[in-house]
Amino acid sequence: MVPSVFTSLAYLTLAGFARAATVTYNFNATWVWASPDGVGRPVIGINGEWPCPTIKATTGDIVVVNLYNGLGNQTTGLHFHGVNQIMTSDMDGPSGVTQCPLPPGSSMKYQFVVDSPGTFWYHSHNMGQYPDGLRGPMIVSDPNDPYKGQYDEEYVLTVSDWYHNDSITLMKSMLSPSNTNFLPAFPDSILVNEGKGARVNFVKGKTYRIRMINFSAFASALIHFDSHTMSVISNDAAYIQKQEAYQLRLTPAQRYDVLISCIDRDNGNFPFLISLDINRDWTDPNAQLRWGLNYTGYLVMDSSPLTKLDVVDKWNPADDAHFKPYNNAPAYPSYDHLIHLDFEFCFDQNGYPRACFNNVTYIEQKVPTLYSAATTGQFNTKPHHLRPTGRATGPAATSTTQQPADARHVAVMAHSYAVLRFKADNPGVWLFHCHIEWHVEMGLTATIIEAPDRLRG
Ligand SMILES: *[C@@H]1O[C@H](CO)[C@@H](O)[C@H](O)[C@H]1NC(C)=O
Ligand SMILES: *[C@@H]1O[C@H](CO)[C@@H](O)[C@H](O)[C@H]1NC(C)=O
Ligand SMILES: *[C@@H]1O[C@H](CO)[C@@H](O)[C@H](O)[C@H]1NC(C)=O
Ligand SMILES: *[C@@H]1O[C@H](CO)[C@@H](O)[C@H](O)[C@H]1NC(C)=O
Ligand SMILES: *[C@@H]1O[C@H](CO)[C@@H](O)[C@H](O)[C@H]1NC(C)=O
Ligand SMILES: *[C@@H]1O[C@H](CO)[C@@H](O)[C@H](O)[C@H]1NC(C)=O
């Protein structure tokens, strides 16, 4: 049904990466009982375990994930967040966009090339399932890492808001006509490394690369290390020029890679603070943290008790709009198409609270949009609903940045805006959406069909 060009992995493998290996994972998604914060609940695990495993590969590898839906009572699917999926749009994973939801008792094979290195994650893009636990890190290591030799060990640090009710319960309550203030679900707690905590063995003379991933459905995470600065080297899997930061703010789904060094004068154990924040405008000096969920992790040098707390008087995180791309790539000088998207809350004709782009809410498609684009011949250039041509990835920045670093997420403050530019160089069907999962479920999504003429079957 989908043009075979999408599965011609051989092309990429031959074209770019002589040493490509195939990395295979067999995933059986099932319900697992877990209590990461002391409160038990069913979560979606893989192969009978939760947290879900980390996918590890090297740039140029072919990743194969054989997914079996062992949930019994829900459909599922996997999205590999941040992977370019060049010529493999049908492997991108969002239900109703590039595939049908995978029914219970069925399996499917995801197969794609990881053409660029960095810190990624995979998660379900179906029925709000990632706050129910179906998510995990995906690390693509880089033989040509420009920062190679500048760190000795690496750690993954995942941060997430956490809910004691399952997503379906939370969504039902959120999408009810009585929710006239469009309130999303409020988290019950914060999870760091899915409840396993964060202890970094900190040894004098060593430098650590910490790959931070935000798994949250709603809250942002602020992070600060006692007595240590972070050298930020990568934002959303794009290298940047090394930039010192005292505090960082991870918006949902964002990733930062930072280096932290244990130097000569260091002695004892150093706390670090991760604080969840649902404040929509952190540049507002009068805004307080809107949520007080804190987690303290430790850089551990000795066996003394881990009691010291890291206290932050005022959060003033580094602004990622000022990070510079590693290769000094200039901003795109101009554009061919201007896509204007206003987002706001809206009610549908039945009075249900929704979220809208240009006054249109997203309705999940029964036939995945990619299949429609591939099978409707010349009619596929007729707009379905929202149909800008271009992909929502690549350089992103606020309008004031002259030389934007690559990014895949941009935080947009309330009553504010962001200007994004991207190069339309990857034919396929892509979702452009808010990564506050609750807003996605309210409909804050647009479909971008890039180069529809090249998708015809
Ligand atoms: C998946 O796990 C369930 C529960 O353990 C088991 O019954 C089922 O046979 C497994 N399926 C596959 C394909 O591994
Ligand atoms: C599916 O089963 C899980 C685990 O028993 C349960 O928590 C969840 O509510 C069920 N979902 C539906 C849609 O029935
Ligand atoms: C979630 O769980 C709590 C405690 O069990 C309950 O009070 C609340 O009403 C539930 N529903 C929603 C939508 O939060
Ligand atoms: C994590 O990502 C979610 C969206 O997926 C966002 O709402 C949240 O603010 C982020 N949290 C952190 C800790 O960065
Ligand atoms: C979380 O940490 C911040 C910054 O140190 C502090 O102001 C706040 O009181 C803490 N919140 C809680 C609930 O402990
Ligand atoms: C949005 O749609 C509603 C309902 O169709 C309509 O009443 C309203 O005028 C529209 N607003 C804009 C800004 O187009």
Side-chain angles (χ1 to χ4, degrees):
M1 167 173 324
V2 173
S4 60
V5 66
F6 287 137
T7 47
S8 58
L9 288 167
Y11 165 80
L12 272 178
T13 319
L14 292 174
F17 308 102
R19 48 169 300 289
T22 300
V23 183
T24 304
Y25 288 86
N26 296 313
F27 281 1
N28 182 357
T30 59
W31 291 101
V32 176
W33 188 261
S35 54
D37 62 350
V39 176
R41 54 156 290 178
V43 300
I44 302 177
I46 286 174
N47 302 337
E49 304 211 335
W50 191 87
C52 299
T54 299
I55 294 178
K56 290 181 188 159
T58 301
T59 319
D61 284 352
I62 295 171
V63 172
V64 174
V65 178
N66 295 305
L67 174 67
Y68 175 77
N69 180 356
L71 294 175
N73 65 356
Q74 288 183 17
T75 58
T76 193
L78 286 182
H79 168 59
F80 303 88
H81 194 109
V83 173
N84 289 323
Q85 299 289 7
I86 293 168
M87 297 174 66
T88 47
S89 180
D90 58 335
M91 296 287 129
D92 198 38
S95 291
V97 182
T98 63
Q99 67 168 81
C100 297
L102 184 67
S106 306
S107 44
M108 78 170 280
K109 180 181 186 178
Y110 291 95
Q111 177 169 303
F112 52 87
V113 170
V114 282
D115 63 294
S116 66
T119 305
F120 302 90
W121 59 303
Y122 64 91
H123 61 86
S124 165
H125 218 304
N126 186 62
M127 297 176 65
Q129 278 171 342
Y130 83 73
D132 282 338
L134 186 46
R135 63 221 187 163
M138 174 161 160
I139 308 298
V140 180
S141 53
D142 183 6
N144 304 315
D145 181 354
Y147 291 105
K148 192 153 89 180
Q150 296 189 35
Y151 55 91
D152 303 286
E153 285 175 33
E154 56 177 78
Y155 283 81
V156 174
L157 193 67
T158 70
V159 181
S160 170
D161 46 19
W162 188 245
Y163 303 81
H164 293 158
N165 290 311
D166 64 26
S167 293
I168 291 183
T169 307
L170 297 173
M171 288 187 302
K172 274 191 188 144
S173 147
M174 179 179 75
L175 297 175
S176 91
S178 61
N179 185 16
T180 50
N181 289 327
F182 307 96
L183 291 179
F186 281 71
D188 295 303
S189 59
I190 172 173
L191 293 189
V192 172
N193 289 341
E194 304 289 45
K196 293 187 149 174
R199 304 266 184 282
V200 174
N201 265 336
F202 208 49
V203 175
K204 228 169 247 194
K206 287 198 173 180
T207 295
Y208 299 84
R209 175 181 186 152
I210 301 186
R211 298 172 180 268
M212 305 180 190
I213 310 175
N214 173 13
F215 279 171
S216 288
F218 177 22
S220 286
L222 292 152
I223 183 160
H224 172 266
F225 286 81
D226 179 33
S227 312
H228 290 78
T229 54
M230 296 172 269
S231 297
V232 190
I233 57 168
S234 170
N235 177 17
D236 283 351
Y239 293 116
I240 58 172
Q241 291 172 29
K242 206 192 269 181
Q243 166 102 30
E244 299 290 297
Y246 296 96
Q247 301 177 357
L248 285 175
R249 180 181 194 268
L250 282 113
T251 56
Q254 191 174 19
R255 291 94 63 203
Y256 278 124
D257 289 29
V258 305
L259 302 183
I260 292 183
S261 294
C262 186
I263 58 171
D264 252 6
R265 68 165 163 78
D266 284 346
N267 255 314
N269 301 326
F270 296 92
F272 59 90
L273 176 67
I274 302 175
S275 206
L276 282 192
D277 175 27
I278 59 168
N279 177 15
R280 292 172 302 172
D281 184 356
W282 48 269
T283 59
D284 176 355
N286 299 315
Q288 299 294 312
L289 273 190
R290 292 270 300 275
W291 199 263
L293 294 174
N294 290 345
Y295 176 88
T296 306
Y298 290 91
L299 304 172
V300 181
M301 296 192 69
D302 60 36
S303 57
S304 62
L306 302 176
T307 46
K308 203 177 156 202
L309 293 181
D310 181 28
V311 177
V312 175
D313 292 331
K314 188 162 170 31
W315 286 102
N316 185 20
D319 186 346
D320 56 9
H322 296 140
F323 292 164
K324 298 265 186 297
Y326 186 79
N327 59 5
N328 263 317
Y332 292 134
S334 64
Y335 57 85
D336 301 304
H337 297 277
L338 178 66
I339 303 165
H340 186 111
L341 291 176
D342 282 331
F343 49 94
E344 62 202 331
F345 292 110
C346 51
F347 289 99
D348 69 11
Q349 66 249 46
N350 300 315
Y352 284 80
R354 303 288 300 173
C356 285
F357 275 127
N358 294 351
N359 213 16
V360 177
T361 194
Y362 181 80
I363 306 289
E364 195 168 299
Q365 303 295 296
K366 290 220 161 52
V367 176
T369 314
L370 174 64
Y371 298 1
S372 305
T375 55
T376 49
Q378 59 177 321
F379 298 108
N380 78 356
T381 46
K382 294 227 162 69
H384 305 293
H385 38 209
L386 261 176
R387 224 212 86 235
T389 41
R391 188 184 177 192
T393 161
T398 61
S399 57
T400 52
T401 306
Q402 296 310 310
Q403 194 190 35
D406 280 10
R408 282 170 182 274
H409 310 97
V410 59
V412 183
M413 268 77 88
H415 307 297
S416 180
Y417 67 92
V419 180
L420 317 176
R421 280 188 191 171
F422 51 87
K423 195 162 187 167
D425 57 2
N426 193 3
V429 172
W430 313 103
L431 275 191
F432 178 84
H433 65 89
C434 179
H435 223 290
I436 293 180
E437 182 70 359
W438 310 125
H439 291 168
V440 171
E441 297 303 332
M442 278 189 171
L444 197 53
T445 291
T447 308
I448 291 177
I449 302 175
E450 178 174 328
D453 51 324
R454 292 184 50 189
L455 300 179
R456 287 169 194 155

